Amino acid sequence: MTPAPATPASGGIDPPALAAELRSGSRRALARAITLVESTRPDHRGAAEALLAELLPHSGRSVRIGITGVPGVGKSTFIETFGLHVIGQGHRIAVLAIDPSSRRTGGSILGDKTRMPELTRNADAFIRPSPSGGTLGGVARRTREAMLVCEAAGFDVVVVETVGVGQSETAVADMVDLFMLLLLPGGGDELQGIKKGIVELADLIVVNKADGDMVAAARHAVAEYRHALALLQPADARWRVPVLSCSAVAGAGIEEVWRTVGRYRDLLGGAIAERRAGQARAWMWSEISDTLLDAFRRHPGVRADLAHLEEAVTHGRTTPAAAARELLSRFLARADA
Ligand code: GDP
């Protein structure tokens, strides 16, 4: 097949050729493809979509794992040890990160390659820090697309990492098959540091640092979390959220975590397909609302009066509903014309 020539509209990029290179195993092509889907330049968007259309039939054949936990719980240490174990089982692992607060200049905390030195050097691993800047929605979209790109490049385990302190956990839970929460030994106190809503999102809980003088505390924490979870309604009656412990530093318990991921897939295969279908539908709707909102904010008739109407609402001179109706009627009048 002769690849279509690059057009100015594709930002000088030839999507079919890039897709073919990426599929043949080129890491350079993989990195370029992800840079393309992460780009916010409008002329890159068309090329990114053309590339994704090429890759979509080859995506989806992976287990998608979300990992969250407070800073210091051991996420990067865990991913390094877990990743090397999974590679030892014959798999290839991609690690992506979602951190809407990250700035490339300041160095992203998540997915930072220096935090996973061995994995970084491994030919069967690919690590990508969080795309910098933008809203959570924008960062999440770019990470979802990067996930599809990694799958098409033959990575059959994709880990999406996020910090368990903000809003990004829901975004991650909405793009993975299994959402894993890492906790510290110590029980109840940590449960308070982690929002209860995050515990409810978890498909698997792992108490890390179960080593040295923390073994007893870890055992206690496991019992406590099991007890707490017994009071929650399971999302799927077939899956009671397991609470495991491990030591990311010593490697103990890591194999059990990977086996549990396998058990989850075997038990919930059909439900995972449904979950992905629901995620794809929700993603489409969020694309629609983001795009509409963007167009709305850029609309000249809206821009002309947005600040002034917002201020009128702030000071109670008009109602929010009336101001919204006024702005929407300008936007829609032009859209209809
Ligand atoms: P992150 O911020 O969640 O990515 O946490 P890190 O992986 O950077 O780990 C934070 C600190 O905890 C580091 O000093 C690690 O060496 C340490 N750590 C991570 N996992 C373990 C573990 O299993 N046992 C012990 N004792 N320390 C650990």
Side-chain angles (χ1 to χ4, degrees):
M1 196 183 82
T2 321
T7 62
S10 62
I13 290 150
D14 180 349
L18 185 55
E21 257 185 81
L22 177 145
R23 299 253 307 124
S24 73
S26 158
R27 287 178 85 83
R28 219 178 123 251
L30 172 59
R32 276 181 61 213
I34 294 186
T35 302
L36 180 64
V37 299
E38 284 181 354
S39 172
T40 46
R41 269 173 54 178
D43 59 330
H44 281 167
R45 198 59 224 155
E49 271 161 27
L51 176 73
L52 289 164
E54 294 276 335
L55 296 180
L56 196 63
H58 308 288
S59 69
R61 288 179 220 118
S62 79
V63 53
R64 302 170 177 171
I65 303 171
I67 295 185
T68 194
V70 295
V73 69
K75 289 179 298 300
S76 51
T77 313
F78 176 87
I79 294 169
E80 165 112 330
T81 309
F82 179 77
L84 293 171
H85 175 76
V86 163
I87 289 169
Q89 304 290 303
H91 299 279
R92 301 181 69 216
I93 186 168
V95 181
L96 308 170
I98 285 205
D99 177 6
S101 65
S102 83
R103 294 283 176 277
R104 202 146 274 172
T105 47
S108 162
I109 314 168
L110 291 178
D112 185 340
K113 294 178 182 186
T114 59
R115 293 158 69 233
M116 303 164 197
E118 277 199 56
L119 212 51
T120 302
R121 286 198 300 270
N122 197 298
D124 291 316
F126 179 80
I127 299 171
R128 185 79 176 187
S130 180
S132 62
T135 60
L136 174 59
V139 171
R141 174 223 258 170
R142 288 179 270 158
T143 305
R144 277 176 194 278
E145 292 181 346
M147 179 166 79
L148 301 180
V149 170
C150 289
E151 288 175 345
F155 291 88
D156 62 345
V157 179
V158 179
V159 165
V160 185
E161 178 192 13
T162 195
V163 172
V165 289
Q167 295 296 312
S168 53
E169 301 75 27
T170 315
V172 173
D174 283 348
M175 68 176 78
V176 297
D177 304 328
L178 178 145
F179 189 63
M180 188 189 305
L181 173 60
L182 286 188
L183 294 170
L184 291 164
D189 294 338
E190 267 68 42
L191 192 53
Q192 283 153 35
I194 286 274
K195 291 198 203 100
K196 187 158 172 287
I198 299 175
V199 175
E200 285 167 5
L201 289 174
D203 301 300
L204 173 59
I205 290 182
V206 180
V207 176
N208 188 34
K209 306 199 183 183
D211 49 43
D213 54 11
M214 286 182 287
V215 169
R219 200 176 304 128
H220 181 72
V222 166
E224 204 163 304
Y225 290 120
R226 280 194 184 137
H227 180 71
L229 283 171
L231 307 173
L232 290 178
Q233 190 71 18
D236 189 308
R238 289 167 297 175
W239 187 254
R240 284 194 52 160
V241 175
V243 183
L244 307 175
S245 64
C246 78
S247 167
V249 162
I254 297 291
E255 190 184 343
E256 175 67 12
V257 173
W258 178 237
R259 262 206 309 271
T260 304
V261 171
R263 196 158 60 81
Y264 178 82
R265 290 185 87 190
D266 292 346
L267 201 66
L268 301 185
I272 291 174
E274 265 172 49
R275 181 166 168 165
R276 286 188 178 187
Q279 289 170 341
R281 274 195 306 274
W283 182 7
M284 181 189 86
W285 281 107
S286 75
E287 287 284 333
I288 291 174
S289 60
D290 289 355
T291 309
L292 274 176
L293 205 55
D294 255 12
F296 178 78
R297 288 184 186 279
R298 278 201 314 268
H299 185 279
V302 171
R303 274 171 60 178
D305 275 321
L306 184 57
H308 136 92
L309 277 167
E310 212 171 28
E311 189 175 303
V313 169
T314 307
H315 293 103
R317 290 195 300 273
T318 183
T319 65
R325 202 164 40 244
E326 171 61 28
L327 291 167
L328 280 168
S329 71
R330 293 174 190 204
F331 179 65
L332 295 172
R334 201 174 124 128
D336 287 346

